[in-house]
Amino acid sequence: MTTDHHSDLIPVPCILMRGGTSRGPFFLESDLPADPALRDRVLLAAMGSPDKRQIDGLGGAHPLTSKVGIVRRSKTAGVDLDFLFAQLQPDKDTVDTTPNCGNMLAAVLPFALERGLLPVQQGTTTARVLTLNTGMQCDVTVQTPGGRLQYTGDARIDGVPGTAAPITINFLDTAGSVCPSLLPTGHVLDRVDGIDVTLIDNGMPMVLVRAADMGVTGYEGVAELNGNAALKAKLEALRLAVGPLMGLGDVTTKSYPKMCLVAAPRDGGSVATRCFIPHVCHEAIGVLAAVTVATACVLEGSVTQGIASVPAGLVKTVSVEHPTGEFSVELGLDKDNPQQVNRAALLRTARPIMRGEVLVSQEIWRGN
Ligand code: NQM
């Protein structure tokens, strides 16, 4: 344990990173307590949870800014980095390390290079990252001209102002990340309490439902949807009903499955979405949520059939519309079985916002 010369608080080194449309502190695993229960209490204190405003910590009073990344050099052959993602909530004392987060994942390699876990290459630097939450691997490439990390650039992702250097992520194996398989019920379409749903996990456990079947258009703004208590109650009832069907058990206190309203595209994309993660409407869409929605769009008979408009070909870009723009996912389909998605590639940006130490009380650090 490091003691602080200035005060009775414990300094824990971290870098506050934006990863895609999410933000949170990144830690080296070795800078946090090894015991998971103690580690989680330290993370809650660092983020200021539980408290709606997270006034006593780094959290940004929203699930998308209540995220934490923990990184180490990988212990797995052929893999460079291990990433453990932790989802906290502003007003709850939960630390969920079950699902992955593709947005925070985009910040893993920049953080690792910042902290010297891997050497920076000339031109670009690519690393294989294993997400410990889901056992999933991906290749991430960042811009490193002249052997130096470059964060500025021309890449634009909806949901983040301005432009930045591109970070590409190639997912290698996403099917059944938390659920037992891609389609945990064995069906592309299920009917639950009289509502058609597609229960699917290609990187994120998701429940896809037609917006019209929930009494909305699917083009409403985030504030309007967040203010629709009747819709939220219906979605939550559906979520609790499908949890066991998806092999997820009782999901009452879980941050998954995510609920996604789908509608016909309106802005030249492939499908329109409004995602609840799971109780607050996402300003955009999660990375693996977008991969999962895009996958449903190529499966014959899913709830997106007759709604989604997907280009032909074995390599296709599916443009997932969301409240603040669109998210393009490139899918590679199996040539012998075009109903099978073999790989997914996408673009993100990320950057460090602040390097430093987050301070937590000694009582919490010592587990008193
Ligand atoms: O689906 C939000 C986000 C996410 C998750 C959420 C994510 C993903 O946008 O891969 O990125 O679904 O809670 O950060």
Side-chain angles (χ1 to χ4, degrees):
M1 164 179 110
T2 337
T3 43
D4 189 6
H5 301 300
H6 309 288
S7 75
D8 61 346
L9 299 176
I10 303 295
V12 192
C14 66
I15 302 182
L16 184 66
M17 307 276 306
R18 175 181 66 77
T21 51
S22 290
R23 189 182 72 210
F26 273 72
F27 298 89
L28 291 181
E29 185 193 57
S30 52
D31 285 332
L32 287 170
D35 171 53
L38 181 55
R39 177 201 68 201
D40 289 354
R41 285 200 293 277
V42 167
L43 295 182
L44 286 164
M47 298 301 279
S49 288
D51 169 43
K52 208 169 111 197
R53 293 182 303 149
Q54 292 174 315
I55 196 69
D56 204 28
L58 288 174
H62 192 283
L64 296 177
T65 50
S66 299
K67 299 182 173 224
V68 171
I70 304 171
V71 180
R72 69 178 185 204
R73 241 186 232 114
S74 185
K75 300 184 177 170
T76 306
V79 176
D80 300 300
L81 297 168
D82 289 347
F83 166 51
L84 184 72
F85 162 64
Q87 174 73 64
L88 285 74
Q89 301 292 342
D91 53 351
K92 298 200 182 94
D93 64 357
T94 53
V95 180
D96 195 348
T97 54
T98 311
N100 196 351
C101 172
N103 275 303
M104 291 291 275
L105 180 60
V108 169
L109 181 53
F111 169 76
L113 296 175
E114 291 269 350
R115 295 301 308 264
L117 288 190
L118 298 176
V120 181
Q121 309 294 328
Q122 292 292 330
T124 59
T125 301
T126 298
R128 181 154 293 186
V129 181
L130 168 66
T131 299
L132 297 173
N133 305 56
T134 55
M136 238 174 56
Q137 296 185 15
C138 65
D139 288 330
V140 182
T141 301
V142 298
Q143 305 298 308
T144 50
R148 193 159 168 260
L149 265 161
Q150 182 174 310
Y151 291 111
T152 54
D154 295 333
R156 201 182 59 80
I157 57 171
D158 287 328
V160 179
T163 63
I167 297 177
T168 52
I169 307 181
N170 263 291
F171 288 107
L172 305 170
D173 54 347
T174 39
S177 72
V178 179
C179 295
S181 59
L182 177 73
L183 298 167
T185 63
H187 311 123
V188 184
L189 191 84
D190 286 283
R191 207 168 163 79
V192 179
D193 297 338
I195 301 166
D196 285 344
V197 287
T198 290
L199 308 175
I200 180 167
D201 174 0
N202 200 15
M204 185 62 76
M206 309 255 323
V207 180
L208 272 55
V209 54
R210 291 181 207 103
D213 290 348
M214 300 304 280
V216 291
T217 63
Y219 309 120
E220 291 83 358
V222 171
E224 183 179 345
L225 290 171
N226 277 333
N228 188 338
L231 170 70
K232 283 169 61 169
K234 264 200 269 182
L235 285 173
E236 185 61 3
L238 186 58
R239 199 178 79 86
L240 298 182
V242 299
L245 306 177
M246 296 178 79
L248 300 171
D250 177 4
V251 294
T252 310
T253 61
K254 308 281 193 223
S255 64
Y256 55 86
K258 317 283 180 185
M259 307 301 291
C260 184
L261 305 174
V262 295
R266 266 210 319 189
D267 297 310
S270 309
V271 66
T273 61
R274 297 291 183 266
C275 284
F276 287 76
I277 56 173
H279 302 123
V280 173
C281 183
H282 203 303
E283 305 285 332
I285 187 169
V287 171
L288 289 150
V291 170
T292 301
V293 169
T295 302
C297 289
V298 303
L299 297 183
E300 268 167 40
S302 85
V303 287
T304 66
Q305 189 155 342
I307 287 180
S309 156
V310 176
L314 289 176
V315 176
K316 57 177 100 226
T317 299
V318 180
S319 163
V320 181
E321 297 177 2
H322 57 67
T324 48
E326 70 84 45
F327 191 128
S328 288
V329 181
E330 185 187 281
L331 296 181
L333 308 188
D334 193 284
K335 70 174 175 17
D336 298 320
N337 176 12
Q339 286 288 288
Q340 186 177 311
V341 173
N342 284 342
R343 83 181 170 80
L346 50 93
L347 168 77
R348 293 282 83 189
T349 65
R351 79 169 187 102
I353 296 168
M354 202 206 68
R355 303 189 185 107
E357 293 157 344
V358 63
L359 301 160
V360 297
S361 85
Q362 290 184 21
E363 281 84 63
I364 287 174
W365 185 266
R366 292 196 185 121
N368 294 337

